[in-house]
Every structure is written in structure tokens, then in C-alpha cells.
Amino acid sequence: YIDIGDYNLADSYVSINQSLLHAGAALDAGVDISWIDAKLFEKNDNKIKELDKYNGIIVPGGFGSSGVEGKIKAVNFARINNKPYLGLCYGMQLAIVEYARNACNMKNANTTEVDEKTRFPVIDILPAQKELMEKSEYGGTMRLGAYAAVLKDKSNVLELYKETGRLKEDAKRIEALKKDKSQAFRLGVLDKSKNVALERHRHRYEVNPKFIDELEKKGLIFSGYHLREDGTKLMEYIELPKNTFFIGTQAHPEFKSRLGNPSPLFYGFVKACIKQ
């Protein structure tokens, strides 16, 4: 979303701009950023071809139906043409919608945020959240702030967190959270896993567990999850290992990126763009 009437909202994504510059600095590369209104792709099918001149594509966080089909077209373009892709929060969810539609034969799959009656609600409000909403307790249905995610062995996501040294940094914060009973829910069930990332969140809708197996059978990798104490797995990361770089996260890693300490995912994205 970069426009409302006469106003330009690109500054709303300043943390993403900064994260790209942090990653570029770490890789000794300049980063040129262009913001494109996703609605343009909905109005003109040929517009999507303009993405070919870019080295990588990001679909950032958002909400609602504005420009959604244009964003899904951008995801599809990145996946089919092997362009480095990074999906942030809604950008991960829409990447799953695109994959469900075009790789898993789930016609018109969608998030129920956009289409409550879709036959394939791959992104949805989970049952426990619906119970709270029925009581008008909407605040309890959002994931806000830091949450731990167990990273999948041998995944590209895990390798990026290792390469940037972020796992060691997050481990210290996790130990602090363990001592604070009021914040223990942010860790969930960690078992003995040492590969745990801690990123900030701000969202309500989640990956629908009913479709995870089918998506995985068709090649989508869920490379990280948060396990709640009630046994519910909340998917945190996705990737397509056959692509040069195709990663999505339910979190907002841009909020923890710093100059000299870039976000692992932005670092990996810019590194892949350089290779283009």
C-alpha cells in the first residue's frame, strides 16, 4: 500500500528500507529500492512483466483486500521466474495462497481475511481465536511482540540465522524470557532444540493446519514453527529450496535489524539479489 488519494505512504515501510540498507552495508553493496503499487498489476496484466527489471521482490506486511490479487501476481512472477523473493507477514501468507492455487490445484484458495467462503482457507483464524472473538475479546486473538520459533534442520532459514550469528543473540533473550513467568508464553514448547529464533510479530491470521500436509507434498517447506503449550503449531517460516531465494516469515524481522547487525532474512535476500 503506497497511496491513499493524493498521499504517498512509502514512508510507512521505513523499517524495511532501513533493513535493506543494513544488509547492503554488511555485503558492501548499494541497494536501490523501488516501491510499486500492487493495484497496478490488477488493472493491467502486462504490468507484471515490469518486475523483470528488478533483482528481487518483497511483499511486505499489510491487511485487508486492497491490492491483494496484485500482490499474489507478484509472488507468482517471482516464483515462476526464480527471482529472489521475501514475504513479510502478509507477504508470507499470500505466498502460501499463490502456491496453493497454482502448485496444489486449490482453485481460488485464499485467506479468510479476504474471502470468508473460500473452499480452501489456507490462511484462517484458528479455533481458539474464534472462541475469543465470539466473546468480543479481540485483543487476545493477535500475536504481538516477540515469539520463539524452532527452525528446521538443514533449512535455508536456519543457515541464514547461523551465518549472521543471530541464534546466539536470540539465545540470551530466550534465557531471560524463561525467568519471566508472565512472558513464558512467548517461548511456547521448545523441548531441547538449540535452533530457536526470536522475532517480533503483529498479526491475527495464521496458516491453517488442515492444509500443511498437502502444501508440503507439493514441495513447500515450512522451515520454522512456534509450538503453543496446547499443542497447536503456528507456522513461522516457509521456503522453496529449488528457487534461488524464496522465503517468507510470519514475523516482522525488519523491527530487529540494525546497522552492523542486519536481519538474517534481509541479509540473505540482498545476497541473492547481488548474484542476480
Side-chain angles (χ1 to χ4, degrees), residues 147-152 158 161-162 166-174 177-178 186-199 225-226 237 256:
Y147 279 84
V150 177
L151 304 183
K152 187 180 182 68
L158 174 57
Y161 274 83
K162 284 182 176 180
R166 181 60 69 83
L167 287 180
K168 293 180 180 179
E169 179 183 323
D170 287 348
K172 294 178 181 179
R173 176 62 177 150
I174 288 168
L177 287 175
K178 286 180 179 179
R186 299 189 179 281
L187 300 178
V189 180
L190 296 180
D191 294 328
K192 297 180 180 179
S193 177
K194 295 180 180 180
N195 298 320
V196 181
L198 199 65
E199 298 284 6
Y225 64 87
H226 174 85
Y237 298 91
K256 286 180 63 178

PDB file of all heavy atoms in Angstrom, residues 147-152 158 161-162 166-174 177-178 186-199 225-226 237 256:
ATOM      1  N   TYR A 147       8.078 -13.702  19.629  1.00  0.00           N
ATOM      2  CA  TYR A 147       7.694 -15.112  19.775  1.00  0.00           C
ATOM      3  C   TYR A 147       8.850 -15.969  19.273  1.00  0.00           C
ATOM      4  O   TYR A 147       9.527 -15.617  18.312  1.00  0.00           O
ATOM      5  CB  TYR A 147       6.422 -15.436  18.976  1.00  0.00           C
ATOM      6  CG  TYR A 147       5.145 -15.049  19.680  1.00  0.00           C
ATOM      7  CD1 TYR A 147       4.667 -13.752  19.605  1.00  0.00           C
ATOM      8  CD2 TYR A 147       4.438 -15.976  20.447  1.00  0.00           C
ATOM      9  CE1 TYR A 147       3.504 -13.383  20.250  1.00  0.00           C
ATOM     10  CE2 TYR A 147       3.268 -15.616  21.089  1.00  0.00           C
ATOM     11  CZ  TYR A 147       2.810 -14.322  20.992  1.00  0.00           C
ATOM     12  OH  TYR A 147       1.666 -13.961  21.648  1.00  0.00           O
ATOM     13  N   ALA A 148       9.027 -17.101  19.946  1.00  0.00           N
ATOM     14  CA  ALA A 148      10.105 -18.017  19.572  1.00  0.00           C
ATOM     15  C   ALA A 148       9.659 -18.938  18.446  1.00  0.00           C
ATOM     16  O   ALA A 148       8.498 -19.333  18.369  1.00  0.00           O
ATOM     17  CB  ALA A 148      10.528 -18.837  20.784  1.00  0.00           C
ATOM     18  N   ALA A 149      10.615 -19.281  17.584  1.00  0.00           N
ATOM     19  CA  ALA A 149      10.341 -20.217  16.502  1.00  0.00           C
ATOM     20  C   ALA A 149      11.463 -21.248  16.426  1.00  0.00           C
ATOM     21  O   ALA A 149      12.643 -20.893  16.385  1.00  0.00           O
ATOM     22  CB  ALA A 149      10.244 -19.485  15.165  1.00  0.00           C
ATOM     23  N   VAL A 150      11.085 -22.506  16.440  1.00  0.00           N
ATOM     24  CA  VAL A 150      12.043 -23.600  16.278  1.00  0.00           C
ATOM     25  C   VAL A 150      12.323 -23.751  14.784  1.00  0.00           C
ATOM     26  O   VAL A 150      11.396 -23.914  13.986  1.00  0.00           O
ATOM     27  CB  VAL A 150      11.490 -24.921  16.849  1.00  0.00           C
ATOM     28  CG1 VAL A 150      12.471 -26.060  16.602  1.00  0.00           C
ATOM     29  CG2 VAL A 150      11.203 -24.773  18.331  1.00  0.00           C
ATOM     30  N   LEU A 151      13.597 -23.683  14.397  1.00  0.00           N
ATOM     31  CA  LEU A 151      13.966 -23.717  12.984  1.00  0.00           C
ATOM     32  C   LEU A 151      14.308 -25.132  12.530  1.00  0.00           C
ATOM     33  O   LEU A 151      14.949 -25.897  13.255  1.00  0.00           O
ATOM     34  CB  LEU A 151      15.154 -22.790  12.735  1.00  0.00           C
ATOM     35  CG  LEU A 151      14.966 -21.333  13.169  1.00  0.00           C
ATOM     36  CD1 LEU A 151      16.190 -20.502  12.789  1.00  0.00           C
ATOM     37  CD2 LEU A 151      13.702 -20.734  12.566  1.00  0.00           C
ATOM     38  N   LYS A 152      13.878 -25.443  11.332  1.00  0.00           N
ATOM     39  CA  LYS A 152      14.046 -26.784  10.766  1.00  0.00           C
ATOM     40  C   LYS A 152      15.505 -27.045  10.403  1.00  0.00           C
ATOM     41  O   LYS A 152      16.172 -26.199   9.803  1.00  0.00           O
ATOM     42  CB  LYS A 152      13.171 -26.927   9.515  1.00  0.00           C
ATOM     43  CG  LYS A 152      13.112 -28.317   8.918  1.00  0.00           C
ATOM     44  CD  LYS A 152      12.218 -28.302   7.689  1.00  0.00           C
ATOM     45  CE  LYS A 152      12.087 -29.687   7.062  1.00  0.00           C
ATOM     46  NZ  LYS A 152      11.352 -30.617   7.924  1.00  0.00           N
ATOM     47  N   LEU A 158      17.468 -21.586   8.595  1.00  0.00           N
ATOM     48  CA  LEU A 158      18.397 -21.890   9.688  1.00  0.00           C
ATOM     49  C   LEU A 158      19.820 -21.480   9.315  1.00  0.00           C
ATOM     50  O   LEU A 158      20.534 -20.880  10.148  1.00  0.00           O
ATOM     51  CB  LEU A 158      18.361 -23.383  10.022  1.00  0.00           C
ATOM     52  CG  LEU A 158      19.394 -23.871  11.053  1.00  0.00           C
ATOM     53  CD1 LEU A 158      19.263 -23.118  12.366  1.00  0.00           C
ATOM     54  CD2 LEU A 158      19.250 -25.380  11.274  1.00  0.00           C
ATOM     55  N   TYR A 161      20.325 -17.751   9.773  1.00  0.00           N
ATOM     56  CA  TYR A 161      20.420 -17.342  11.177  1.00  0.00           C
ATOM     57  C   TYR A 161      21.775 -17.729  11.759  1.00  0.00           C
ATOM     58  O   TYR A 161      22.333 -17.013  12.586  1.00  0.00           O
ATOM     59  CB  TYR A 161      19.270 -17.947  11.986  1.00  0.00           C
ATOM     60  CG  TYR A 161      18.022 -17.104  11.943  1.00  0.00           C
ATOM     61  CD1 TYR A 161      17.132 -17.196  10.878  1.00  0.00           C
ATOM     62  CD2 TYR A 161      17.733 -16.199  12.952  1.00  0.00           C
ATOM     63  CE1 TYR A 161      15.995 -16.418  10.810  1.00  0.00           C
ATOM     64  CE2 TYR A 161      16.592 -15.411  12.905  1.00  0.00           C
ATOM     65  CZ  TYR A 161      15.731 -15.526  11.830  1.00  0.00           C
ATOM     66  OH  TYR A 161      14.600 -14.725  11.766  1.00  0.00           O
ATOM     67  N   LYS A 162      22.308 -18.855  11.307  1.00  0.00           N
ATOM     68  CA  LYS A 162      23.639 -19.270  11.754  1.00  0.00           C
ATOM     69  C   LYS A 162      24.716 -18.351  11.169  1.00  0.00           C
ATOM     70  O   LYS A 162      25.627 -17.912  11.883  1.00  0.00           O
ATOM     71  CB  LYS A 162      23.918 -20.719  11.332  1.00  0.00           C
ATOM     72  CG  LYS A 162      23.200 -21.772  12.160  1.00  0.00           C
ATOM     73  CD  LYS A 162      23.589 -23.166  11.681  1.00  0.00           C
ATOM     74  CE  LYS A 162      22.982 -24.257  12.547  1.00  0.00           C
ATOM     75  NZ  LYS A 162      23.370 -25.614  12.057  1.00  0.00           N
ATOM     76  N   ARG A 166      22.833 -14.673  14.565  1.00  0.00           N
ATOM     77  CA  ARG A 166      21.639 -14.226  15.291  1.00  0.00           C
ATOM     78  C   ARG A 166      21.157 -15.245  16.333  1.00  0.00           C
ATOM     79  O   ARG A 166      20.571 -14.866  17.346  1.00  0.00           O
ATOM     80  CB  ARG A 166      20.516 -13.918  14.301  1.00  0.00           C
ATOM     81  CG  ARG A 166      19.231 -13.427  14.947  1.00  0.00           C
ATOM     82  CD  ARG A 166      19.418 -12.143  15.741  1.00  0.00           C
ATOM     83  NE  ARG A 166      19.702 -11.008  14.903  1.00  0.00           N
ATOM     84  CZ  ARG A 166      18.759 -10.287  14.276  1.00  0.00           C
ATOM     85  NH1 ARG A 166      17.493 -10.605  14.378  1.00  0.00           N
ATOM     86  NH2 ARG A 166      19.110  -9.254  13.535  1.00  0.00           N
ATOM     87  N   LEU A 167      21.405 -16.531  16.103  1.00  0.00           N
ATOM     88  CA  LEU A 167      20.934 -17.549  17.045  1.00  0.00           C
ATOM     89  C   LEU A 167      21.544 -17.346  18.431  1.00  0.00           C
ATOM     90  O   LEU A 167      20.866 -17.506  19.453  1.00  0.00           O
ATOM     91  CB  LEU A 167      21.254 -18.948  16.528  1.00  0.00           C
ATOM     92  CG  LEU A 167      20.418 -19.452  15.343  1.00  0.00           C
ATOM     93  CD1 LEU A 167      20.857 -20.848  14.959  1.00  0.00           C
ATOM     94  CD2 LEU A 167      18.932 -19.422  15.648  1.00  0.00           C
ATOM     95  N   LYS A 168      22.816 -16.994  18.489  1.00  0.00           N
ATOM     96  CA  LYS A 168      23.476 -16.777  19.774  1.00  0.00           C
ATOM     97  C   LYS A 168      22.875 -15.573  20.487  1.00  0.00           C
ATOM     98  O   LYS A 168      22.669 -15.578  21.708  1.00  0.00           O
ATOM     99  CB  LYS A 168      24.971 -16.574  19.564  1.00  0.00           C
ATOM    100  CG  LYS A 168      25.691 -17.813  19.049  1.00  0.00           C
ATOM    101  CD  LYS A 168      27.176 -17.535  18.858  1.00  0.00           C
ATOM    102  CE  LYS A 168      27.901 -18.783  18.331  1.00  0.00           C
ATOM    103  NZ  LYS A 168      29.349 -18.512  18.112  1.00  0.00           N
ATOM    104  N   GLU A 169      22.601 -14.545  19.731  1.00  0.00           N
ATOM    105  CA  GLU A 169      21.991 -13.330  20.293  1.00  0.00           C
ATOM    106  C   GLU A 169      20.599 -13.630  20.840  1.00  0.00           C
ATOM    107  O   GLU A 169      20.242 -13.205  21.939  1.00  0.00           O
ATOM    108  CB  GLU A 169      21.917 -12.260  19.201  1.00  0.00           C
ATOM    109  CG  GLU A 169      21.287 -10.960  19.640  1.00  0.00           C
ATOM    110  CD  GLU A 169      21.178  -9.987  18.483  1.00  0.00           C
ATOM    111  OE1 GLU A 169      22.099  -9.951  17.640  1.00  0.00           O
ATOM    112  OE2 GLU A 169      20.169  -9.264  18.418  1.00  0.00           O
ATOM    113  N   ASP A 170      19.798 -14.364  20.059  1.00  0.00           N
ATOM    114  CA  ASP A 170      18.442 -14.696  20.481  1.00  0.00           C
ATOM    115  C   ASP A 170      18.441 -15.628  21.690  1.00  0.00           C
ATOM    116  O   ASP A 170      17.534 -15.568  22.527  1.00  0.00           O
ATOM    117  CB  ASP A 170      17.673 -15.339  19.325  1.00  0.00           C
ATOM    118  CG  ASP A 170      17.290 -14.322  18.253  1.00  0.00           C
ATOM    119  OD1 ASP A 170      17.421 -13.114  18.515  1.00  0.00           O
ATOM    120  OD2 ASP A 170      16.871 -14.743  17.159  1.00  0.00           O
ATOM    121  N   ALA A 171      19.443 -16.497  21.791  1.00  0.00           N
ATOM    122  CA  ALA A 171      19.526 -17.441  22.909  1.00  0.00           C
ATOM    123  C   ALA A 171      19.602 -16.703  24.246  1.00  0.00           C
ATOM    124  O   ALA A 171      19.001 -17.134  25.243  1.00  0.00           O
ATOM    125  CB  ALA A 171      20.730 -18.358  22.739  1.00  0.00           C
ATOM    126  N   LYS A 172      20.296 -15.578  24.280  1.00  0.00           N
ATOM    127  CA  LYS A 172      20.400 -14.795  25.511  1.00  0.00           C
ATOM    128  C   LYS A 172      19.044 -14.217  25.898  1.00  0.00           C
ATOM    129  O   LYS A 172      18.657 -14.218  27.071  1.00  0.00           O
ATOM    130  CB  LYS A 172      21.417 -13.669  25.331  1.00  0.00           C
ATOM    131  CG  LYS A 172      22.845 -14.158  25.128  1.00  0.00           C
ATOM    132  CD  LYS A 172      23.791 -12.994  24.904  1.00  0.00           C
ATOM    133  CE  LYS A 172      25.217 -13.482  24.664  1.00  0.00           C
ATOM    134  NZ  LYS A 172      26.153 -12.354  24.416  1.00  0.00           N
ATOM    135  N   ARG A 173      18.326 -13.724  24.922  1.00  0.00           N
ATOM    136  CA  ARG A 173      16.990 -13.165  25.175  1.00  0.00           C
ATOM    137  C   ARG A 173      16.019 -14.259  25.616  1.00  0.00           C
ATOM    138  O   ARG A 173      15.172 -14.042  26.495  1.00  0.00           O
ATOM    139  CB  ARG A 173      16.480 -12.485  23.907  1.00  0.00           C
ATOM    140  CG  ARG A 173      15.077 -11.941  23.993  1.00  0.00           C
ATOM    141  CD  ARG A 173      14.922 -10.876  25.041  1.00  0.00           C
ATOM    142  NE  ARG A 173      13.575 -10.325  25.046  1.00  0.00           N
ATOM    143  CZ  ARG A 173      12.972  -9.837  26.105  1.00  0.00           C
ATOM    144  NH1 ARG A 173      13.607  -9.823  27.271  1.00  0.00           N
ATOM    145  NH2 ARG A 173      11.752  -9.352  26.032  1.00  0.00           N
ATOM    146  N   ILE A 174      16.145 -15.429  25.029  1.00  0.00           N
ATOM    147  CA  ILE A 174      15.277 -16.559  25.387  1.00  0.00           C
ATOM    148  C   ILE A 174      15.492 -16.962  26.837  1.00  0.00           C
ATOM    149  O   ILE A 174      14.540 -17.244  27.574  1.00  0.00           O
ATOM    150  CB  ILE A 174      15.526 -17.745  24.427  1.00  0.00           C
ATOM    151  CG1 ILE A 174      14.937 -17.418  23.051  1.00  0.00           C
ATOM    152  CG2 ILE A 174      14.910 -19.032  24.973  1.00  0.00           C
ATOM    153  CD1 ILE A 174      15.367 -18.367  21.956  1.00  0.00           C
ATOM    154  N   LEU A 177      13.659 -14.594  28.999  1.00  0.00           N
ATOM    155  CA  LEU A 177      12.210 -14.816  28.979  1.00  0.00           C
ATOM    156  C   LEU A 177      11.823 -16.015  29.842  1.00  0.00           C
ATOM    157  O   LEU A 177      10.745 -16.026  30.440  1.00  0.00           O
ATOM    158  CB  LEU A 177      11.728 -15.030  27.542  1.00  0.00           C
ATOM    159  CG  LEU A 177      11.683 -13.792  26.646  1.00  0.00           C
ATOM    160  CD1 LEU A 177      11.305 -14.183  25.231  1.00  0.00           C
ATOM    161  CD2 LEU A 177      10.686 -12.770  27.190  1.00  0.00           C
ATOM    162  N   LYS A 178      12.688 -17.018  29.903  1.00  0.00           N
ATOM    163  CA  LYS A 178      12.398 -18.204  30.722  1.00  0.00           C
ATOM    164  C   LYS A 178      12.251 -17.841  32.199  1.00  0.00           C
ATOM    165  O   LYS A 178      11.528 -18.504  32.946  1.00  0.00           O
ATOM    166  CB  LYS A 178      13.515 -19.238  30.559  1.00  0.00           C
ATOM    167  CG  LYS A 178      13.500 -19.968  29.220  1.00  0.00           C
ATOM    168  CD  LYS A 178      14.648 -20.970  29.152  1.00  0.00           C
ATOM    169  CE  LYS A 178      14.639 -21.725  27.830  1.00  0.00           C
ATOM    170  NZ  LYS A 178      15.772 -22.693  27.736  1.00  0.00           N
ATOM    171  N   ARG A 186       5.534 -16.662  25.286  1.00  0.00           N
ATOM    172  CA  ARG A 186       6.196 -16.253  24.045  1.00  0.00           C
ATOM    173  C   ARG A 186       7.167 -17.321  23.538  1.00  0.00           C
ATOM    174  O   ARG A 186       7.493 -17.367  22.358  1.00  0.00           O
ATOM    175  CB  ARG A 186       6.936 -14.934  24.236  1.00  0.00           C
ATOM    176  CG  ARG A 186       6.020 -13.786  24.624  1.00  0.00           C
ATOM    177  CD  ARG A 186       6.744 -12.461  24.597  1.00  0.00           C
ATOM    178  NE  ARG A 186       5.848 -11.379  24.947  1.00  0.00           N
ATOM    179  CZ  ARG A 186       4.966 -10.825  24.131  1.00  0.00           C
ATOM    180  NH1 ARG A 186       4.885 -11.266  22.881  1.00  0.00           N
ATOM    181  NH2 ARG A 186       4.178  -9.851  24.523  1.00  0.00           N
ATOM    182  N   LEU A 187       7.610 -18.183  24.441  1.00  0.00           N
ATOM    183  CA  LEU A 187       8.548 -19.236  24.062  1.00  0.00           C
ATOM    184  C   LEU A 187       7.828 -20.486  23.577  1.00  0.00           C
ATOM    185  O   LEU A 187       8.345 -21.225  22.744  1.00  0.00           O
ATOM    186  CB  LEU A 187       9.450 -19.591  25.250  1.00  0.00           C
ATOM    187  CG  LEU A 187      10.308 -18.451  25.796  1.00  0.00           C
ATOM    188  CD1 LEU A 187      11.117 -18.932  26.988  1.00  0.00           C
ATOM    189  CD2 LEU A 187      11.230 -17.908  24.710  1.00  0.00           C
ATOM    190  N   GLY A 188       6.626 -20.728  24.122  1.00  0.00           N
ATOM    191  CA  GLY A 188       5.923 -21.946  23.777  1.00  0.00           C
ATOM    192  C   GLY A 188       6.683 -23.157  24.297  1.00  0.00           C
ATOM    193  O   GLY A 188       7.359 -23.090  25.322  1.00  0.00           O
ATOM    194  N   VAL A 189       6.603 -24.274  23.563  1.00  0.00           N
ATOM    195  CA  VAL A 189       7.301 -25.503  23.941  1.00  0.00           C
ATOM    196  C   VAL A 189       8.550 -25.621  23.074  1.00  0.00           C
ATOM    197  O   VAL A 189       8.467 -25.783  21.853  1.00  0.00           O
ATOM    198  CB  VAL A 189       6.396 -26.739  23.742  1.00  0.00           C
ATOM    199  CG1 VAL A 189       7.135 -28.003  24.140  1.00  0.00           C
ATOM    200  CG2 VAL A 189       5.108 -26.581  24.541  1.00  0.00           C
ATOM    201  N   LEU A 190       9.699 -25.541  23.697  1.00  0.00           N
ATOM    202  CA  LEU A 190      10.958 -25.561  22.953  1.00  0.00           C
ATOM    203  C   LEU A 190      11.653 -26.919  22.969  1.00  0.00           C
ATOM    204  O   LEU A 190      12.546 -27.167  22.179  1.00  0.00           O
ATOM    205  CB  LEU A 190      11.914 -24.503  23.522  1.00  0.00           C
ATOM    206  CG  LEU A 190      11.456 -23.052  23.395  1.00  0.00           C
ATOM    207  CD1 LEU A 190      12.502 -22.122  23.993  1.00  0.00           C
ATOM    208  CD2 LEU A 190      11.203 -22.689  21.941  1.00  0.00           C
ATOM    209  N   ASP A 191      11.260 -27.793  23.884  1.00  0.00           N
ATOM    210  CA  ASP A 191      11.955 -29.076  24.048  1.00  0.00           C
ATOM    211  C   ASP A 191      13.449 -28.811  24.245  1.00  0.00           C
ATOM    212  O   ASP A 191      13.834 -27.940  24.988  1.00  0.00           O
ATOM    213  CB  ASP A 191      11.703 -29.992  22.837  1.00  0.00           C
ATOM    214  CG  ASP A 191      10.238 -30.398  22.737  1.00  0.00           C
ATOM    215  OD1 ASP A 191       9.602 -30.528  23.791  1.00  0.00           O
ATOM    216  OD2 ASP A 191       9.744 -30.567  21.622  1.00  0.00           O
ATOM    217  N   LYS A 192      14.286 -29.549  23.537  1.00  0.00           N
ATOM    218  CA  LYS A 192      15.729 -29.380  23.693  1.00  0.00           C
ATOM    219  C   LYS A 192      16.363 -28.723  22.458  1.00  0.00           C
ATOM    220  O   LYS A 192      17.577 -28.761  22.296  1.00  0.00           O
ATOM    221  CB  LYS A 192      16.384 -30.742  23.958  1.00  0.00           C
ATOM    222  CG  LYS A 192      15.930 -31.401  25.256  1.00  0.00           C
ATOM    223  CD  LYS A 192      16.624 -32.749  25.455  1.00  0.00           C
ATOM    224  CE  LYS A 192      16.157 -33.409  26.765  1.00  0.00           C
ATOM    225  NZ  LYS A 192      16.808 -34.728  26.966  1.00  0.00           N
ATOM    226  N   SER A 193      15.536 -28.142  21.634  1.00  0.00           N
ATOM    227  CA  SER A 193      16.052 -27.552  20.410  1.00  0.00           C
ATOM    228  C   SER A 193      16.968 -26.364  20.708  1.00  0.00           C
ATOM    229  O   SER A 193      16.663 -25.518  21.535  1.00  0.00           O
ATOM    230  CB  SER A 193      14.907 -27.085  19.514  1.00  0.00           C
ATOM    231  OG  SER A 193      15.409 -26.451  18.369  1.00  0.00           O
ATOM    232  N   LYS A 194      18.098 -26.330  20.019  1.00  0.00           N
ATOM    233  CA  LYS A 194      19.042 -25.228  20.176  1.00  0.00           C
ATOM    234  C   LYS A 194      18.864 -24.176  19.082  1.00  0.00           C
ATOM    235  O   LYS A 194      19.366 -23.070  19.202  1.00  0.00           O
ATOM    236  CB  LYS A 194      20.472 -25.763  20.146  1.00  0.00           C
ATOM    237  CG  LYS A 194      20.818 -26.683  21.308  1.00  0.00           C
ATOM    238  CD  LYS A 194      22.253 -27.165  21.206  1.00  0.00           C
ATOM    239  CE  LYS A 194      22.603 -28.089  22.364  1.00  0.00           C
ATOM    240  NZ  LYS A 194      24.004 -28.579  22.279  1.00  0.00           N
ATOM    241  N   ASN A 195      18.150 -24.555  18.032  1.00  0.00           N
ATOM    242  CA  ASN A 195      17.998 -23.648  16.893  1.00  0.00           C
ATOM    243  C   ASN A 195      16.671 -22.900  16.989  1.00  0.00           C
ATOM    244  O   ASN A 195      15.679 -23.277  16.369  1.00  0.00           O
ATOM    245  CB  ASN A 195      18.089 -24.433  15.581  1.00  0.00           C
ATOM    246  CG  ASN A 195      19.431 -25.111  15.419  1.00  0.00           C
ATOM    247  OD1 ASN A 195      20.463 -24.541  15.756  1.00  0.00           O
ATOM    248  ND2 ASN A 195      19.422 -26.335  14.908  1.00  0.00           N
ATOM    249  N   VAL A 196      16.682 -21.855  17.797  1.00  0.00           N
ATOM    250  CA  VAL A 196      15.462 -21.104  18.058  1.00  0.00           C
ATOM    251  C   VAL A 196      15.690 -19.623  17.755  1.00  0.00           C
ATOM    252  O   VAL A 196      16.652 -19.018  18.238  1.00  0.00           O
ATOM    253  CB  VAL A 196      15.016 -21.254  19.529  1.00  0.00           C
ATOM    254  CG1 VAL A 196      13.729 -20.477  19.776  1.00  0.00           C
ATOM    255  CG2 VAL A 196      14.814 -22.729  19.869  1.00  0.00           C
ATOM    256  N   ALA A 197      14.814 -19.060  16.935  1.00  0.00           N
ATOM    257  CA  ALA A 197      14.876 -17.640  16.598  1.00  0.00           C
ATOM    258  C   ALA A 197      13.789 -16.895  17.360  1.00  0.00           C
ATOM    259  O   ALA A 197      12.751 -17.465  17.714  1.00  0.00           O
ATOM    260  CB  ALA A 197      14.684 -17.441  15.101  1.00  0.00           C
ATOM    261  N   LEU A 198      14.035 -15.632  17.596  1.00  0.00           N
ATOM    262  CA  LEU A 198      13.087 -14.795  18.330  1.00  0.00           C
ATOM    263  C   LEU A 198      12.839 -13.539  17.500  1.00  0.00           C
ATOM    264  O   LEU A 198      13.734 -12.711  17.336  1.00  0.00           O
ATOM    265  CB  LEU A 198      13.667 -14.436  19.698  1.00  0.00           C
ATOM    266  CG  LEU A 198      12.707 -13.952  20.775  1.00  0.00           C
ATOM    267  CD1 LEU A 198      11.740 -15.061  21.170  1.00  0.00           C
ATOM    268  CD2 LEU A 198      13.482 -13.473  22.000  1.00  0.00           C
ATOM    269  N   GLU A 199      11.636 -13.435  16.946  1.00  0.00           N
ATOM    270  CA  GLU A 199      11.287 -12.275  16.122  1.00  0.00           C
ATOM    271  C   GLU A 199       9.964 -11.668  16.577  1.00  0.00           C
ATOM    272  O   GLU A 199       9.138 -12.336  17.193  1.00  0.00           O
ATOM    273  CB  GLU A 199      11.182 -12.669  14.643  1.00  0.00           C
ATOM    274  CG  GLU A 199      12.458 -13.206  14.018  1.00  0.00           C
ATOM    275  CD  GLU A 199      13.494 -12.110  13.711  1.00  0.00           C
ATOM    276  OE1 GLU A 199      13.261 -10.938  14.098  1.00  0.00           O
ATOM    277  OE2 GLU A 199      14.514 -12.443  13.102  1.00  0.00           O
ATOM    278  N   TYR A 225       8.547 -23.140  13.212  1.00  0.00           N
ATOM    279  CA  TYR A 225       7.215 -23.118  13.820  1.00  0.00           C
ATOM    280  C   TYR A 225       7.309 -22.694  15.284  1.00  0.00           C
ATOM    281  O   TYR A 225       8.348 -22.824  15.946  1.00  0.00           O
ATOM    282  CB  TYR A 225       6.548 -24.496  13.734  1.00  0.00           C
ATOM    283  CG  TYR A 225       7.278 -25.572  14.521  1.00  0.00           C
ATOM    284  CD1 TYR A 225       7.016 -25.777  15.878  1.00  0.00           C
ATOM    285  CD2 TYR A 225       8.248 -26.364  13.922  1.00  0.00           C
ATOM    286  CE1 TYR A 225       7.698 -26.751  16.604  1.00  0.00           C
ATOM    287  CE2 TYR A 225       8.944 -27.327  14.634  1.00  0.00           C
ATOM    288  CZ  TYR A 225       8.660 -27.515  15.979  1.00  0.00           C
ATOM    289  OH  TYR A 225       9.345 -28.463  16.696  1.00  0.00           O
ATOM    290  N   HIS A 226       6.205 -22.181  15.782  1.00  0.00           N
ATOM    291  CA  HIS A 226       6.040 -21.892  17.208  1.00  0.00           C
ATOM    292  C   HIS A 226       5.045 -22.913  17.753  1.00  0.00           C
ATOM    293  O   HIS A 226       3.931 -23.036  17.231  1.00  0.00           O
ATOM    294  CB  HIS A 226       5.491 -20.475  17.417  1.00  0.00           C
ATOM    295  CG  HIS A 226       5.156 -20.155  18.845  1.00  0.00           C
ATOM    296  ND1 HIS A 226       6.099 -19.707  19.740  1.00  0.00           N
ATOM    297  CD2 HIS A 226       3.986 -20.237  19.533  1.00  0.00           C
ATOM    298  CE1 HIS A 226       5.521 -19.506  20.919  1.00  0.00           C
ATOM    299  NE2 HIS A 226       4.243 -19.827  20.816  1.00  0.00           N
ATOM    300  N   TYR A 237       7.848 -19.846   9.208  1.00  0.00           N
ATOM    301  CA  TYR A 237       8.681 -19.613   8.028  1.00  0.00           C
ATOM    302  C   TYR A 237       8.306 -20.599   6.927  1.00  0.00           C
ATOM    303  O   TYR A 237       7.930 -21.739   7.213  1.00  0.00           O
ATOM    304  CB  TYR A 237      10.170 -19.811   8.343  1.00  0.00           C
ATOM    305  CG  TYR A 237      10.746 -18.875   9.364  1.00  0.00           C
ATOM    306  CD1 TYR A 237      10.744 -19.206  10.714  1.00  0.00           C
ATOM    307  CD2 TYR A 237      11.314 -17.657   8.994  1.00  0.00           C
ATOM    308  CE1 TYR A 237      11.283 -18.354  11.667  1.00  0.00           C
ATOM    309  CE2 TYR A 237      11.863 -16.797   9.935  1.00  0.00           C
ATOM    310  CZ  TYR A 237      11.843 -17.150  11.271  1.00  0.00           C
ATOM    311  OH  TYR A 237      12.378 -16.297  12.209  1.00  0.00           O
ATOM    312  N   LYS A 256      13.999  -5.777  14.057  1.00  0.00           N
ATOM    313  CA  LYS A 256      15.200  -6.072  14.844  1.00  0.00           C
ATOM    314  C   LYS A 256      16.495  -5.836  14.065  1.00  0.00           C
ATOM    315  O   LYS A 256      17.582  -6.064  14.590  1.00  0.00           O
ATOM    316  CB  LYS A 256      15.170  -7.518  15.351  1.00  0.00           C
ATOM    317  CG  LYS A 256      14.185  -7.758  16.486  1.00  0.00           C
ATOM    318  CD  LYS A 256      14.194  -9.209  16.947  1.00  0.00           C
ATOM    319  CE  LYS A 256      15.519  -9.637  17.524  1.00  0.00           C
ATOM    320  NZ  LYS A 256      15.516 -11.019  18.014  1.00  0.00           N
TER     321      LYS A 256
END
